[in-house]
Amino acid sequence: MGKLDGRVVLITGAARGQGEQEARLFVAEGAEVVIGDVLDDQGEALAKELGARYVHLDVSQEADWQSAVAAAKEAYGRIDGLVNNAGILRFNDLVSTPLEEFQQIVQVNQVGVFLGIKTVAPEIEAAGGGTIVNTASYAGVTGMAYVGAYAATKHAIVGLTRVAALELAGKGIRVNAVCPGAIDTAMSNPAQLDPDADTEKAAEGIDRLYRKLVPLGRVGQPEEVARLVLFLSGDDSSYITGQPFVIDGGWLAGVSVL
């Protein structure tokens, strides 16, 4: 018996990284998974491998959300789970951040989560209840220099999660957020996307950095985040809603002077 047997879950940004690992784990636990992304080739290949359904989904576009819901219902008849995983990150000092860049990050990270809740929550209610898990960040519960737009959107996601939890609880929908710290994906290590990059050297540099910053002494793995998302999507978390769950190797706990 899988922990998600009989569930139909839409996961955004699921063609690679955290979303991919969430899709893999959810399928392994018995869910029918709808993989949403803008990376069509990767998403379609993953869906074929997993026996899932792929939909092109730009989370910043309401029409794409409506199409994704229609495709999911055509394939599986309903949706009773949503993982708002898609997001983008840009590094820039705040006063040098172009307005266009700030708005792009808001549109994907913040508006994307809003549209996901707005579009999918009625479907989850119609299915008899279920779960929504929003991907916020370590930077959504504390400050982080040079990622101001990203941090602003991730703080907003935590607030939106709490409001949605309050409004949707009576409809049988639990809403929580995961707040990952440093996770070994292309977002935190762009060298993974460069075929000419020395990925081993880049990984070593990241490892050295987080050995100093993170009490557990290492960067996190996307599979670890996926297991937390699974917990929040299943019956093991049946009395939990409206909460941000930090998964950061102890980074937020504080600093050591020695």
Side-chain angles (χ1 to χ4, degrees):
M1 294 290 291
K3 293 184 176 181
L4 298 179
D5 281 351
R7 298 287 304 280
V8 179
V9 183
L10 170 60
I11 304 175
T12 70
R16 68 184 183 203
Q18 286 178 190
E20 176 187 347
Q21 295 308 318
E22 289 157 7
R24 290 184 180 279
L25 181 58
F26 279 35
V27 169
E29 290 290 346
E32 301 287 1
V33 171
V34 180
I35 294 170
D37 212 307
V38 294
L39 302 174
D40 295 332
D41 291 343
Q42 290 175 261
E44 288 173 354
L46 180 63
K48 183 177 180 180
E49 176 189 345
L50 297 180
R53 176 69 181 263
Y54 176 75
V55 294
H56 178 90
L57 175 54
D58 178 344
V59 297
S60 70
Q61 301 300 312
E62 189 166 16
D64 276 19
W65 275 106
Q66 294 167 346
S67 296
V69 165
K73 291 178 69 176
E74 178 185 9
Y76 304 116
R78 69 184 196 284
I79 305 173
D80 50 27
L82 170 64
V83 180
N84 278 313
N85 170 75
I88 58 174
L89 170 67
R90 301 289 184 270
F91 293 94
N92 218 332
D93 62 290
L94 194 58
V95 298
S96 299
T97 301
L99 176 59
E100 181 181 2
E101 178 180 297
F102 192 95
Q103 290 176 326
Q104 180 192 25
I105 296 169
V106 168
Q107 195 68 25
V108 174
N109 294 3
Q110 184 175 336
V111 175
V113 169
F114 161 71
L115 287 175
I117 296 171
K118 174 184 171 66
T119 309
V120 181
E123 302 296 335
I124 298 176
E125 181 186 6
T131 58
I132 297 173
V133 180
N134 299 322
T135 302
S137 171
Y138 166 94
V141 290
T142 189
M144 182 179 289
Y146 302 105
V147 292
Y150 178 81
T153 62
K154 294 302 185 177
H155 274 75
I157 288 170
V158 172
L160 192 61
T161 295
R162 290 173 169 145
V163 171
L166 292 171
E167 294 187 6
L168 298 176
K171 299 177 180 181
I173 303 172
R174 296 187 295 107
V175 188
N176 291 290
V178 293
C179 300
I183 307 298
D184 188 20
T185 67
M187 179 178 284
S188 59
N189 181 11
Q192 293 182 13
L193 302 179
D194 183 355
D196 298 322
D198 186 338
T199 54
E200 186 173 329
K201 183 177 180 180
E204 288 175 357
I206 288 174
D207 184 59
R208 284 195 301 272
L209 172 64
Y210 290 112
R211 275 204 302 268
K212 297 178 181 178
L213 290 176
V214 178
L216 289 186
R218 63 176 177 84
V219 69
Q221 297 302 312
E223 296 86 349
E224 293 174 301
V225 178
R227 289 196 291 270
L228 176 57
V229 176
L230 172 65
F231 168 73
L232 294 173
S233 299
D235 291 339
D236 290 340
S237 60
S238 59
Y239 197 54
I240 299 173
T241 195
Q243 300 303 313
F245 287 81
V246 177
I247 175 168
D248 69 347
W251 194 0
L252 190 63
V255 298
S256 173
V257 297
L258 300 178

